[in-house]
Amino acid sequence: HHLVNKSLPYLLLAAISFLSLPQQIIAQESEQAEVEVVQKKKFARIKSTEKKIMMKALRLIEKGEVDNENDVDEISDGIASLIELGECVIPKCLTSFPRMAKVERQQHLTRVLDSILLDDELHIALELCNRKTTNQVYAYLMQRWTDSSREDREEVLNNYLSIDDEAVQYHCVRGLIQLGDKLMVNACVKIIDSQWKDNKQQLRND
């Protein structure tokens, strides 16, 4: 009887450690999964040969001819080249918005980014932004955030709602209303009333 009592704590310890073992394994697995998720911090670097193709493609988008009668569409050729190069052109696309805006062709950059910038990697694109980044880029990224299912939507949209640009605020508001934050909805209604009387109907549609 005395022996049983003595061995009981060891048995209990063994049982407890055995019971906690699956949880430890699960915790380790989830940690590994988290590591895999956060590992990617940059887009692939562009090679010198790819850079030449990219610069040519951007020139086609900026200055290329479109002649439907003769089946010439250099803009589409430029877009296709950039999409084929993939994620390595994302940083340059983001910084090329002002250049394309001058000739009213920035919408072609958004077509490229829609194809090669994944929702899961939007944060990498946002981290590339700096003081020189135009509001058009922020508006595009907030639009993508709003239309994504990312878990950080509310946090990011709240942060960028303060940018003094109608298009940026518009997409932030749209996303926050979709998320159904009542306080934000009230704040958004005030912004809409004060700034965008013309856009009210559009927001309802969205």
Side-chain angles (χ1 to χ4, degrees), residues 155-166:
E155 183 191 345
V156 170
L157 295 173
N158 265 318
N159 286 345
Y160 286 86
L161 185 62
S162 59
I163 287 184
D164 189 18
D165 178 82
E166 206 170 289

Side-chain angles (χ1 to χ4, degrees), residues 150-197:
R150 286 179 63 104
E151 288 179 6
D152 61 357
R153 264 187 306 168
E154 189 168 4
E155 183 191 345
V156 170
L157 295 173
N158 265 318
N159 286 345
Y160 286 86
L161 185 62
S162 59
I163 287 184
D164 189 18
D165 178 82
E166 206 170 289
V168 177
Q169 289 180 346
Y170 178 81
H171 290 298
C172 291
V173 166
R174 187 167 66 87
L176 290 164
I177 287 175
Q178 281 174 13
L179 288 165
D181 184 328
K182 285 183 183 175
L183 290 171
M184 278 314 308
V185 171
N186 293 335
C188 294
V189 168
K190 284 180 187 173
I191 292 170
I192 293 161
D193 281 338
S194 63
Q195 292 185 28
W196 318 325
K197 291 180 175 66

Side-chain angles (χ1 to χ4, degrees), residues 4-23:
V4 171
N5 274 349
K6 219 173 184 183
S7 61
L8 199 60
Y10 296 108
L11 282 169
L12 277 170
L13 275 172
I16 289 163
S17 61
F18 181 75
L19 284 169
S20 65
L21 194 63
Q23 289 174 321

Side-chain angles (χ1 to χ4, degrees), residues 9 18 26 33 37 39 49 61 77 84 106 114-115 123 125 143 145 147 159-160 163 165 181 193 198:
F18 181 75
I26 291 162
V37 168
Q39 245 171 6
T49 50
I61 291 173
D77 294 342
E84 200 174 324
Q106 70 274 19
D114 283 347
S115 293
H123 61 286
Q143 177 212 319
W145 236 284
D147 296 334
N159 286 345
Y160 286 86
I163 287 184
D165 178 82
D181 184 328
D193 281 338
D198 301 340

